[in-house]
Amino acid sequence: MFATYEEAMEWIHTRKGMGPKPGIVRMKWLMEKLDHPERKFRSIHIAGTNGKGSNVAYLRSLFMAAGYTVGTFTSPHIVSFNERIGVNGANIPDEDVLEQANILHALYEEISLTDMGPLTEFEVVTAMMFSYFGSHPCDVVLLEVGLGGLYDSTNVAEPDLSLITTIGKDHSNILGDTLAEIAYQKAGIIKQGTPVVIGRLPEEALSVMRDTAEKKAAPLYAYGPDFSVTNWHEGSDYHEVFDFVSPLATFENLEIALMGGHQVDNAATALQTFLLFCKKHALSYSETTIKAGLLGTAWPVRMEIVSQEPFVMLDGAHNIPAMEVLTEAIKKKFSDKDITILLAALADKDLEEMGQLIKSIPDSKLYVTSFDFPRAASVKELCERMSVPEAEAYEDWRFAIDDLKAKQSEEGMLLITGSLYFLSEVRHYLLKNKEL
């Protein structure tokens, strides 16, 4: 038994070394031992290469604006571990983490003696989440997949709706080399007879979704044919404005503060999901609550402007699809600025292509750095794979931020990007130094 939150966290983090263990056999065992908490609350299960966190943020804000209680499960955390499990945007309290860790530790000891073997960190945290929401009622719980879908620990969920945001090449060593293979893994969250909402996908991936949904008799609602966006344009303060069209409802002049066309797609996909869920459970809402919910949505390190003087933006463009939408948005919105970029990334990403994409931004200069994380690429590796001169590298990312901020001109912009784990540390550093 753990006596303190700190002891519980130390144990949870020792599970990191286990790495991912594809498959849900251990999770099914845990749910049985916990008296099936996954069946005790309404949920929406969310998968996708990118956009999962943003869709969670939009959905949470939409439900809260309409007066409902919303649970969330997300990863990785940006500032605090406790934010992985939340209710109405508030992190799970330390005492509840301690209580759930003690429940899971006893089961960990038991399962470790079986042929199934010990649990990973993500399995522990996912089981804690199911146990917590099974005894803390919410109107809806938003469950974000950790990796893939089919074999992800969250896939013991029995959701009211499934949502698949985007499909792109990432984690190819685990999920497959082609879009169709990756889509097959993501489509693994589609359940028998359970409606699924699909974001903007390439046809190769969408056909996989359609095939899976047909086999599972799951009603499918796809971006484009079943709901869409029209009249998208830029509003004030870098906001996006658009109209939403669906057989369920039509809304004009919806506004979001999160930047980029990909966020318009995310907002529309989340709104379609919200409308379907409300229809299924006869939940009330209004155009006013929808507009307030969308405009009030915020999500850390997604083109997040954290300072105006100097102009500093954080974005977790941790893979090729995320880097593509970041560079597209920067070119469109900030073509008037001289852009300094600081990047740190994981070594198992396609650093060569990421480097080409980020360096395609006009009037930009790329600097690289590294951070303390097992899979982080070293400064030397980043320089070699991204073709960056050693003179434009910083070993100490904290010094890099302070140095590059001090050198910004009035017309300049400092963009800090790359791994979400890196951006988590950066944001924490800036918070600590009262920059946010």
Side-chain angles (χ1 to χ4, degrees):
M1 294 286 286
F2 306 113
T4 66
Y5 169 82
E6 289 72 23
E7 288 177 6
M9 289 306 304
E10 184 178 358
W11 170 66
I12 291 169
H13 290 323
T14 61
R15 303 290 85 230
K16 261 185 188 170
M18 297 296 300
K21 281 185 177 181
I24 58 174
V25 174
R26 287 173 300 280
M27 288 301 299
K28 286 183 175 180
W29 183 91
L30 285 167
M31 294 302 99
E32 179 73 26
K33 290 288 184 177
L34 291 166
D35 191 27
H36 291 288
E38 78 282 10
R39 299 174 182 171
K40 297 176 181 176
F41 54 86
R42 297 170 178 169
S43 64
I44 299 173
H45 199 190
I46 302 168
T49 303
N50 292 106
K52 296 187 295 293
S54 295
N55 271 271
V56 167
Y58 283 120
L59 283 166
R60 178 177 60 198
S61 192
L62 285 164
F63 280 112
M64 286 179 62
Y68 300 107
T69 303
V70 191
T72 52
F73 179 61
T74 57
S75 62
H77 58 272
I78 302 300
V79 176
S80 163
F81 171 87
N82 294 35
E83 72 195 51
R84 292 183 177 218
I85 302 172
V87 176
N88 283 357
N91 299 346
I92 182 175
D94 288 357
E95 55 267 28
D96 288 331
V97 172
L98 175 60
E99 179 185 9
Q100 295 301 328
N102 277 320
I103 292 171
L104 263 295
H105 186 261
L107 295 174
Y108 169 83
E109 294 289 334
E110 186 177 345
I111 198 172
S112 296
L113 299 175
T114 72
D115 293 339
M116 288 181 282
L119 304 169
T120 67
E121 180 191 35
F122 192 69
E123 286 172 330
V124 167
V125 178
T126 304
M128 287 170 58
M129 174 273 295
F130 279 120
S131 175
Y132 179 77
F133 286 125
S135 57
H136 292 73
C138 292
D139 294 306
V140 60
V141 178
L142 310 174
L143 304 175
E144 181 185 325
V145 164
L147 175 62
L150 181 62
Y151 300 120
D152 187 72
S153 300
T154 61
N155 208 26
V156 292
E158 298 184 7
D160 296 75
L161 289 173
S162 302
L163 166 57
I164 298 169
T165 60
T166 63
I167 301 293
K169 291 188 178 180
D170 194 25
H171 300 292
S172 296
N173 58 322
I174 298 173
L175 303 181
D177 294 320
T178 69
L179 287 182
E181 289 173 330
I182 295 169
Y184 175 78
Q185 293 292 325
K186 309 290 186 187
I189 72 164
I190 299 175
K191 302 295 191 298
Q192 190 72 33
T194 300
V196 57
V197 179
I198 306 294
R200 187 196 290 268
L201 298 189
E203 184 55 41
E204 181 182 357
L206 182 57
S207 65
V208 174
M209 299 298 163
R210 291 194 187 282
D211 288 346
T212 305
E214 187 176 346
K215 290 173 184 173
K216 300 272 184 79
L220 183 144
Y221 303 86
Y223 185 105
D226 300 307
F227 64 96
S228 61
V229 163
T230 61
N231 194 29
W232 167 40
H233 59 280
E234 186 172 313
S236 58
D237 298 322
Y238 305 112
H239 289 187
E240 313 291 352
V241 182
F242 61 96
D243 299 340
F244 173 83
V245 181
S246 165
L248 295 170
T250 297
F251 301 103
E252 296 181 348
N253 293 315
L254 298 176
E255 186 175 355
I256 57 173
L258 296 179
M259 287 182 272
H262 61 297
Q263 291 295 359
V264 175
D265 291 347
N266 286 333
T269 306
L271 180 52
Q272 176 73 9
T273 307
F274 170 80
L275 294 172
L276 282 169
F277 189 92
C278 289
K279 182 180 179 181
K280 182 173 184 177
H281 295 292
L283 302 183
S284 62
Y285 59 87
S286 68
E287 183 170 347
T288 299
T289 67
I290 282 174
K291 287 190 170 182
L294 290 177
L295 183 57
T297 301
W299 194 237
V301 304
R302 270 66 172 186
M303 293 190 71
E304 181 185 16
I305 299 171
V306 296
S307 171
Q308 292 284 350
E309 295 181 4
F311 196 95
V312 180
M313 177 185 288
L314 308 182
D315 188 83
H318 61 290
N319 56 25
I320 296 299
M323 190 63 79
E324 286 174 341
V325 296
L326 171 63
T327 54
E328 180 184 345
I330 293 292
K331 290 173 184 178
K332 180 180 178 182
K333 289 184 172 291
F334 300 101
S335 58
D336 59 331
K337 292 190 178 292
D338 296 323
I339 301 173
T340 302
I341 303 162
L342 179 66
L343 179 146
L346 301 185
D348 55 7
K349 302 296 182 179
D350 188 343
L351 299 179
E352 291 79 5
E353 187 172 349
M354 286 176 70
Q356 289 179 8
L357 284 167
I358 198 71
K359 287 192 288 188
S360 72
I361 298 173
D363 301 314
S364 68
K365 178 123 181 175
L366 174 62
Y367 295 84
V368 296
T369 189
S370 190
F371 65 112
D372 186 16
F373 190 77
R375 291 155 49 210
S378 67
V379 165
K380 182 180 179 183
E381 184 173 8
L382 287 169
C383 287
E384 290 174 353
R385 294 177 62 185
M386 290 188 162
S387 300
V388 175
E390 289 187 17
E392 292 163 18
Y394 290 85
E395 289 289 346
D396 185 332
W397 63 264
R398 294 172 183 81
F399 175 78
I401 290 173
D402 295 340
D403 188 49
L404 294 174
K405 275 175 55 184
K407 292 175 179 176
Q408 289 304 297
S409 65
E410 287 187 10
E411 300 77 28
M413 166 181 168
L414 174 58
L415 169 63
I416 306 174
T417 188
S419 164
L420 283 169
Y421 297 100
F422 171 57
L423 270 295
S424 170
E425 293 195 28
V426 168
R427 198 172 191 277
H428 184 72
Y429 175 71
L430 294 174
L431 274 170
K432 191 176 178 182
N433 287 277
K434 298 182 180 178
E435 294 292 338
L436 295 180

